[in-house]
PDB file of all heavy atoms in Angstrom:
ATOM      1  N   ALA O  31      24.475  24.254  23.263  1.00 85.00           N
ATOM      2  CA  ALA O  31      24.412  22.798  23.192  1.00 85.00           C
ATOM      3  C   ALA O  31      25.634  22.204  22.507  1.00 85.00           C
ATOM      4  O   ALA O  31      25.695  20.999  22.291  1.00 85.00           O
ATOM      5  CB  ALA O  31      23.140  22.368  22.459  1.00 85.00           C
ATOM      6  N   THR O  32      26.599  23.041  22.167  1.00 84.00           N
ATOM      7  CA  THR O  32      27.828  22.571  21.530  1.00 84.00           C
ATOM      8  C   THR O  32      28.933  23.573  21.810  1.00 84.00           C
ATOM      9  O   THR O  32      28.668  24.718  22.173  1.00 84.00           O
ATOM     10  CB  THR O  32      27.649  22.396  20.007  1.00 84.00           C
ATOM     11  OG1 THR O  32      28.837  21.804  19.457  1.00 84.00           O
ATOM     12  CG2 THR O  32      27.389  23.723  19.322  1.00 84.00           C
ATOM     13  N   GLU O  33      30.139  23.131  21.620  1.00 83.00           N
ATOM     14  CA  GLU O  33      31.300  24.018  21.746  1.00 83.00           C
ATOM     15  C   GLU O  33      31.928  24.201  20.376  1.00 83.00           C
ATOM     16  O   GLU O  33      33.046  23.799  20.131  1.00 83.00           O
ATOM     17  CB  GLU O  33      32.297  23.436  22.742  1.00 83.00           C
ATOM     18  CG  GLU O  33      31.771  23.412  24.158  1.00 83.00           C
ATOM     19  CD  GLU O  33      32.751  22.791  25.145  1.00 83.00           C
ATOM     20  OE1 GLU O  33      33.773  22.224  24.718  1.00 83.00           O
ATOM     21  OE2 GLU O  33      32.464  22.877  26.341  1.00 83.00           O
ATOM     22  N   ASN O  34      31.144  24.780  19.445  1.00 80.00           N
ATOM     23  CA  ASN O  34      31.590  25.050  18.083  1.00 80.00           C
ATOM     24  C   ASN O  34      31.875  23.778  17.295  1.00 80.00           C
ATOM     25  O   ASN O  34      32.756  23.746  16.443  1.00 80.00           O
ATOM     26  CB  ASN O  34      32.810  25.973  18.070  1.00 80.00           C
ATOM     27  CG  ASN O  34      32.878  26.768  16.771  1.00 80.00           C
ATOM     28  OD1 ASN O  34      31.897  26.888  16.055  1.00 80.00           O
ATOM     29  ND2 ASN O  34      34.031  27.308  16.475  1.00 80.00           N
ATOM     30  N   ASP O  35      31.118  22.722  17.569  1.00 76.00           N
ATOM     31  CA  ASP O  35      31.257  21.443  16.877  1.00 76.00           C
ATOM     32  C   ASP O  35      30.216  21.367  15.761  1.00 76.00           C
ATOM     33  O   ASP O  35      29.029  21.542  16.020  1.00 76.00           O
ATOM     34  CB  ASP O  35      31.044  20.311  17.882  1.00 76.00           C
ATOM     35  CG  ASP O  35      31.242  18.936  17.282  1.00 76.00           C
ATOM     36  OD1 ASP O  35      31.465  18.824  16.066  1.00 76.00           O
ATOM     37  OD2 ASP O  35      31.169  17.963  18.042  1.00 76.00           O
ATOM     38  N   PRO O  36      30.632  21.126  14.527  1.00 73.00           N
ATOM     39  CA  PRO O  36      29.658  21.088  13.434  1.00 73.00           C
ATOM     40  C   PRO O  36      28.742  19.857  13.471  1.00 73.00           C
ATOM     41  O   PRO O  36      27.749  19.809  12.772  1.00 73.00           O
ATOM     42  CB  PRO O  36      30.527  21.085  12.178  1.00 73.00           C
ATOM     43  CG  PRO O  36      31.811  20.505  12.626  1.00 73.00           C
ATOM     44  CD  PRO O  36      31.988  20.921  14.065  1.00 73.00           C
ATOM     45  N   THR O  37      29.076  18.842  14.271  1.00 76.00           N
ATOM     46  CA  THR O  37      28.234  17.648  14.358  1.00 76.00           C
ATOM     47  C   THR O  37      27.296  17.777  15.549  1.00 76.00           C
ATOM     48  O   THR O  37      27.410  17.098  16.540  1.00 76.00           O
ATOM     49  CB  THR O  37      29.081  16.371  14.507  1.00 76.00           C
ATOM     50  OG1 THR O  37      29.847  16.480  15.718  1.00 76.00           O
ATOM     51  CG2 THR O  37      30.011  16.180  13.331  1.00 76.00           C
ATOM     52  N   CYS O  38      26.352  18.698  15.433  1.00 85.00           N
ATOM     53  CA  CYS O  38      25.454  18.974  16.548  1.00 85.00           C
ATOM     54  C   CYS O  38      24.010  18.964  16.079  1.00 85.00           C
ATOM     55  O   CYS O  38      23.734  19.046  14.888  1.00 85.00           O
ATOM     56  CB  CYS O  38      25.818  20.299  17.201  1.00 85.00           C
ATOM     57  SG  CYS O  38      25.992  21.643  16.042  1.00 85.00           S
ATOM     58  N   PRO O  39      23.050  18.918  16.994  1.00 93.00           N
ATOM     59  CA  PRO O  39      21.639  18.895  16.615  1.00 93.00           C
ATOM     60  C   PRO O  39      21.227  20.152  15.853  1.00 93.00           C
ATOM     61  O   PRO O  39      21.823  21.207  16.032  1.00 93.00           O
ATOM     62  CB  PRO O  39      20.904  18.831  17.958  1.00 93.00           C
ATOM     63  CG  PRO O  39      21.921  18.574  18.997  1.00 93.00           C
ATOM     64  CD  PRO O  39      23.245  18.902  18.425  1.00 93.00           C
ATOM     65  N   ASP O  40      20.209  19.998  15.016  1.00 94.00           N
ATOM     66  CA  ASP O  40      19.713  21.135  14.244  1.00 94.00           C
ATOM     67  C   ASP O  40      18.326  20.813  13.713  1.00 94.00           C
ATOM     68  O   ASP O  40      17.954  19.641  13.585  1.00 94.00           O
ATOM     69  CB  ASP O  40      20.649  21.434  13.072  1.00 94.00           C
ATOM     70  CG  ASP O  40      20.911  22.915  12.894  1.00 94.00           C
ATOM     71  OD1 ASP O  40      20.049  23.727  13.280  1.00 94.00           O
ATOM     72  OD2 ASP O  40      21.971  23.271  12.358  1.00 94.00           O
ATOM     73  N   VAL O  41      17.567  21.865  13.392  1.00 96.00           N
ATOM     74  CA  VAL O  41      16.232  21.737  12.819  1.00 96.00           C
ATOM     75  C   VAL O  41      16.164  22.668  11.613  1.00 96.00           C
ATOM     76  O   VAL O  41      16.445  23.868  11.739  1.00 96.00           O
ATOM     77  CB  VAL O  41      15.127  22.115  13.842  1.00 96.00           C
ATOM     78  CG1 VAL O  41      13.746  21.942  13.228  1.00 96.00           C
ATOM     79  CG2 VAL O  41      15.262  21.291  15.120  1.00 96.00           C
ATOM     80  N   TRP O  42      15.796  22.130  10.457  1.00 97.00           N
ATOM     81  CA  TRP O  42      15.773  22.909   9.214  1.00 97.00           C
ATOM     82  C   TRP O  42      14.481  22.709   8.443  1.00 97.00           C
ATOM     83  O   TRP O  42      13.965  21.590   8.361  1.00 97.00           O
ATOM     84  CB  TRP O  42      16.929  22.477   8.309  1.00 97.00           C
ATOM     85  CG  TRP O  42      18.240  23.032   8.741  1.00 97.00           C
ATOM     86  CD1 TRP O  42      19.039  22.562   9.741  1.00 97.00           C
ATOM     87  CD2 TRP O  42      18.889  24.176   8.223  1.00 97.00           C
ATOM     88  NE1 TRP O  42      20.155  23.340   9.858  1.00 97.00           N
ATOM     89  CE2 TRP O  42      20.090  24.348   8.931  1.00 97.00           C
ATOM     90  CE3 TRP O  42      18.584  25.080   7.207  1.00 97.00           C
ATOM     91  CZ2 TRP O  42      20.971  25.369   8.681  1.00 97.00           C
ATOM     92  CZ3 TRP O  42      19.465  26.104   6.943  1.00 97.00           C
ATOM     93  CH2 TRP O  42      20.650  26.237   7.670  1.00 97.00           C
ATOM     94  N   GLU O  43      13.981  23.797   7.866  1.00 97.00           N
ATOM     95  CA  GLU O  43      12.884  23.706   6.917  1.00 97.00           C
ATOM     96  C   GLU O  43      13.496  23.435   5.550  1.00 97.00           C
ATOM     97  O   GLU O  43      14.510  24.027   5.176  1.00 97.00           O
ATOM     98  CB  GLU O  43      12.099  25.018   6.871  1.00 97.00           C
ATOM     99  CG  GLU O  43      10.953  24.976   5.877  1.00 97.00           C
ATOM    100  CD  GLU O  43      10.205  26.295   5.784  1.00 97.00           C
ATOM    101  OE1 GLU O  43      10.637  27.299   6.385  1.00 97.00           O
ATOM    102  OE2 GLU O  43       9.184  26.318   5.086  1.00 97.00           O
ATOM    103  N   LEU O  44      12.873  22.527   4.802  1.00 98.00           N
ATOM    104  CA  LEU O  44      13.329  22.226   3.454  1.00 98.00           C
ATOM    105  C   LEU O  44      12.524  23.049   2.456  1.00 98.00           C
ATOM    106  O   LEU O  44      11.462  23.587   2.790  1.00 98.00           O
ATOM    107  CB  LEU O  44      13.167  20.734   3.171  1.00 98.00           C
ATOM    108  CG  LEU O  44      13.915  19.805   4.143  1.00 98.00           C
ATOM    109  CD1 LEU O  44      13.626  18.346   3.795  1.00 98.00           C
ATOM    110  CD2 LEU O  44      15.409  20.083   4.132  1.00 98.00           C
ATOM    111  N   ASP O  45      13.024  23.148   1.236  1.00 98.00           N
ATOM    112  CA  ASP O  45      12.362  23.995   0.247  1.00 98.00           C
ATOM    113  C   ASP O  45      10.981  23.495  -0.172  1.00 98.00           C
ATOM    114  O   ASP O  45      10.213  24.227  -0.765  1.00 98.00           O
ATOM    115  CB  ASP O  45      13.251  24.234  -0.972  1.00 98.00           C
ATOM    116  CG  ASP O  45      13.598  22.979  -1.744  1.00 98.00           C
ATOM    117  OD1 ASP O  45      13.129  21.870  -1.381  1.00 98.00           O
ATOM    118  OD2 ASP O  45      14.349  23.090  -2.734  1.00 98.00           O
ATOM    119  N   ASN O  46      10.630  22.278   0.203  1.00 97.00           N
ATOM    120  CA  ASN O  46       9.291  21.764  -0.099  1.00 97.00           C
ATOM    121  C   ASN O  46       8.351  21.865   1.111  1.00 97.00           C
ATOM    122  O   ASN O  46       7.231  21.363   1.076  1.00 97.00           O
ATOM    123  CB  ASN O  46       9.360  20.321  -0.603  1.00 97.00           C
ATOM    124  CG  ASN O  46       9.829  19.348   0.458  1.00 97.00           C
ATOM    125  OD1 ASN O  46      10.204  19.737   1.576  1.00 97.00           O
ATOM    126  ND2 ASN O  46       9.850  18.080   0.118  1.00 97.00           N
ATOM    127  N   GLY O  47       8.823  22.507   2.190  1.00 95.00           N
ATOM    128  CA  GLY O  47       8.004  22.691   3.384  1.00 95.00           C
ATOM    129  C   GLY O  47       8.184  21.619   4.437  1.00 95.00           C
ATOM    130  O   GLY O  47       7.715  21.771   5.567  1.00 95.00           O
ATOM    131  N   ASP O  48       8.846  20.520   4.110  1.00 96.00           N
ATOM    132  CA  ASP O  48       9.118  19.480   5.102  1.00 96.00           C
ATOM    133  C   ASP O  48      10.196  19.965   6.067  1.00 96.00           C
ATOM    134  O   ASP O  48      10.836  20.997   5.835  1.00 96.00           O
ATOM    135  CB  ASP O  48       9.566  18.177   4.422  1.00 96.00           C
ATOM    136  CG  ASP O  48       8.425  17.465   3.714  1.00 96.00           C
ATOM    137  OD1 ASP O  48       7.258  17.807   3.960  1.00 96.00           O
ATOM    138  OD2 ASP O  48       8.715  16.557   2.911  1.00 96.00           O
ATOM    139  N   VAL O  49      10.411  19.223   7.133  1.00 97.00           N
ATOM    140  CA  VAL O  49      11.376  19.609   8.158  1.00 97.00           C
ATOM    141  C   VAL O  49      12.399  18.488   8.338  1.00 97.00           C
ATOM    142  O   VAL O  49      12.031  17.311   8.450  1.00 97.00           O
ATOM    143  CB  VAL O  49      10.666  19.887   9.505  1.00 97.00           C
ATOM    144  CG1 VAL O  49      11.666  20.170  10.603  1.00 97.00           C
ATOM    145  CG2 VAL O  49       9.690  21.051   9.351  1.00 97.00           C
ATOM    146  N   ALA O  50      13.670  18.846   8.362  1.00 97.00           N
ATOM    147  CA  ALA O  50      14.754  17.904   8.622  1.00 97.00           C
ATOM    148  C   ALA O  50      15.273  18.138  10.035  1.00 97.00           C
ATOM    149  O   ALA O  50      15.509  19.290  10.426  1.00 97.00           O
ATOM    150  CB  ALA O  50      15.887  18.098   7.615  1.00 97.00           C
ATOM    151  N   VAL O  51      15.423  17.054  10.793  1.00 97.00           N
ATOM    152  CA  VAL O  51      15.923  17.135  12.164  1.00 97.00           C
ATOM    153  C   VAL O  51      17.206  16.326  12.246  1.00 97.00           C
ATOM    154  O   VAL O  51      17.242  15.157  11.869  1.00 97.00           O
ATOM    155  CB  VAL O  51      14.881  16.580  13.168  1.00 97.00           C
ATOM    156  CG1 VAL O  51      15.423  16.610  14.581  1.00 97.00           C
ATOM    157  CG2 VAL O  51      13.581  17.361  13.077  1.00 97.00           C
ATOM    158  N   ILE O  52      18.253  16.969  12.733  1.00 95.00           N
ATOM    159  CA  ILE O  52      19.530  16.298  12.960  1.00 95.00           C
ATOM    160  C   ILE O  52      19.662  16.110  14.467  1.00 95.00           C
ATOM    161  O   ILE O  52      19.592  17.078  15.222  1.00 95.00           O
ATOM    162  CB  ILE O  52      20.708  17.134  12.427  1.00 95.00           C
ATOM    163  CG1 ILE O  52      20.543  17.391  10.930  1.00 95.00           C
ATOM    164  CG2 ILE O  52      22.039  16.430  12.733  1.00 95.00           C
ATOM    165  CD1 ILE O  52      21.504  18.438  10.378  1.00 95.00           C
ATOM    166  N   GLY O  53      19.779  14.882  14.900  1.00 95.00           N
ATOM    167  CA  GLY O  53      19.866  14.604  16.324  1.00 95.00           C
ATOM    168  C   GLY O  53      20.559  13.278  16.579  1.00 95.00           C
ATOM    169  O   GLY O  53      21.040  12.629  15.663  1.00 95.00           O
ATOM    170  N   ARG O  54      20.555  12.869  17.825  1.00 95.00           N
ATOM    171  CA  ARG O  54      21.170  11.598  18.208  1.00 95.00           C
ATOM    172  C   ARG O  54      20.203  10.464  17.873  1.00 95.00           C
ATOM    173  O   ARG O  54      19.035  10.506  18.239  1.00 95.00           O
ATOM    174  CB  ARG O  54      21.475  11.559  19.700  1.00 95.00           C
ATOM    175  CG  ARG O  54      22.438  12.621  20.175  1.00 95.00           C
ATOM    176  CD  ARG O  54      23.867  12.338  19.677  1.00 95.00           C
ATOM    177  NE  ARG O  54      24.838  13.187  20.349  1.00 95.00           N
ATOM    178  CZ  ARG O  54      25.167  14.401  19.943  1.00 95.00           C
ATOM    179  NH1 ARG O  54      24.608  14.918  18.885  1.00 95.00           N
ATOM    180  NH2 ARG O  54      26.066  15.100  20.591  1.00 95.00           N
TER     181      ARG O  54
END
Side-chain angles (χ1 to χ4, degrees):
T32 186
E33 293 178 351
N34 207 18
D35 183 356
T37 61
C38 50
D40 223 333
V41 181
W42 283 80
E43 179 182 7
L44 302 177
D45 63 2
N46 67 355
D48 288 346
V49 175
V51 178
I52 301 168
R54 299 289 192 273

